C-alpha cells in the first residue's frame, strides 16, 4: 500500500535514512491512528542514480504495511507525473515521442493512459481516425490529468 507524501526527491537522496518524515495522520487502509514506523525500503526513480530510502509504517489495527512515496510520482512509475504528462502531450500534439524519453517507455505510458481512459469513459467509435481518437481520449482525460498536477 502506497501513501503519497509531499517530500522532495532530491532531499531524500541527500539525507538517506536521516530524512525527517512527518508521521501520516491515519492509516490509508483503515483510517486508524495506531501505526508505527516499520523501517525503510529502497525506491528507484529516474532522476536519482541510486535508489532512495522511503519510510514504511505498519498499522496495528489492520496489520497492513504502507510505504511513503513522493507525491510527484505515481505508484509503479519511476518518472514524475510531470514527465509522463509532457511526453504524452508531445506525442499527441507533435506526433513524435519526446527526445528525452525512450520510445518504449513513453509508449507504455501512452498505452496505460489509453487503457485508463477507455476503462473510465468507454470505447470511442472505431470509425474515427486513430489520431482523432487519441486526441479525444486526451481531451476526455482532463479530470484525470488535473489530479496529477
Ligand atoms: Zn490500518
Amino acid at each position: 500500500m502506497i501513501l503519497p507524501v509531499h517530500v522532495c526527491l532530491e532531499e531524500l537522496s541527500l539525507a538517506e535514512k536521516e530524512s525527517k518524515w512527518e508521521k501520516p495522520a491515519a492509516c490509508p487502509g483503515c483510517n486508524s491512528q495506531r501505526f508505527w514506523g516499520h523501517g525503510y525500503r529502497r525506491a528507484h526513480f529516474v532522476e536519482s542514480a541510486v535508489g532512495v530510502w522511503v519510510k514504511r509504517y505498519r498499522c496495528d489495527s489492520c496489520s497492513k504495511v504502507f510505504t511513503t512515496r513522493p507525491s510527484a510520482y505515481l505508484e509503479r512509475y519511476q518518472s514524475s507525473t510531470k514527465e509522463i504528462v509532457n511526453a504524452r502531450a508531445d506525442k499527441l500534439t507533435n506526433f513524435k515521442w519526446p527526445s528525452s524519453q525512450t520510445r518504449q517507455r513513453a509508449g507504455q505510458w501512452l498505452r496505460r493512459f489509453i487503457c485508463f481512459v477507455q476503462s473510465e469513459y468507454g470505447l470511442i467509435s472505431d470509425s474515427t481516425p486513430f489520431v482523432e481518437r487519441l486526441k479525444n481520449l486526451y481531451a476526455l482525460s482532463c479530470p484525470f490529468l488535473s489530479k496529477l498536477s
Side-chain angles (χ1 to χ4, degrees), residues 1 26-35 58-64 66:
M1 185 176 295
C27 168
C30 68
N31 217 21
S32 168
Q33 295 179 345
R34 290 180 45 90
F35 56 88
R58 186 165 201 273
C59 179
D60 193 40
S61 300
C62 68
S63 301
K64 288 184 179 170
F66 55 97

Side-chain angles (χ1 to χ4, degrees), residues 19-114:
S19 288
K20 300 263 186 216
W21 289 92
E22 205 170 295
K23 190 173 179 181
C27 168
C30 68
N31 217 21
S32 168
Q33 295 179 345
R34 290 180 45 90
F35 56 88
W36 290 271
H38 190 64
Y40 294 86
R41 183 178 83 74
R42 271 222 189 261
H44 296 273
F45 301 98
V46 169
E47 288 84 3
S48 62
V50 294
V52 297
W53 291 103
V54 291
K55 182 83 175 152
R56 297 183 344 153
Y57 295 92
R58 186 165 201 273
C59 179
D60 193 40
S61 300
C62 68
S63 301
K64 288 184 179 170
V65 174
F66 55 97
T67 306
T68 57
R69 186 176 178 87
S71 58
Y73 297 83
L74 291 174
E75 186 175 353
R76 299 183 189 159
Y77 286 91
Q78 293 183 346
S79 298
S80 69
T81 53
K82 186 177 179 183
E83 281 183 68
I84 295 169
V85 168
N86 289 343
R88 286 190 304 227
D90 271 5
K91 177 64 176 173
L92 294 178
T93 55
N94 304 327
F95 309 107
K96 290 182 180 177
W97 296 114
S99 59
S100 61
Q101 303 295 333
T102 62
R103 177 183 55 82
Q104 292 82 3
R105 175 173 282 216
Q108 182 200 20
W109 296 338
L110 186 60
R111 285 188 298 278
R112 291 179 82 177
F113 169 72
I114 290 170

Side-chain angles (χ1 to χ4, degrees), residues 88 92 107-123 130 133-134 137-138 141:
R88 286 190 304 227
L92 294 178
Q108 182 200 20
W109 296 338
L110 186 60
R111 285 188 298 278
R112 291 179 82 177
F113 169 72
I114 290 170
C115 286
F116 167 78
V117 173
Q118 286 179 338
S119 70
E120 290 290 317
Y121 300 100
L123 295 173
F130 178 71
R133 287 172 45 202
L134 289 177
L137 288 171
Y138 192 73
S141 67

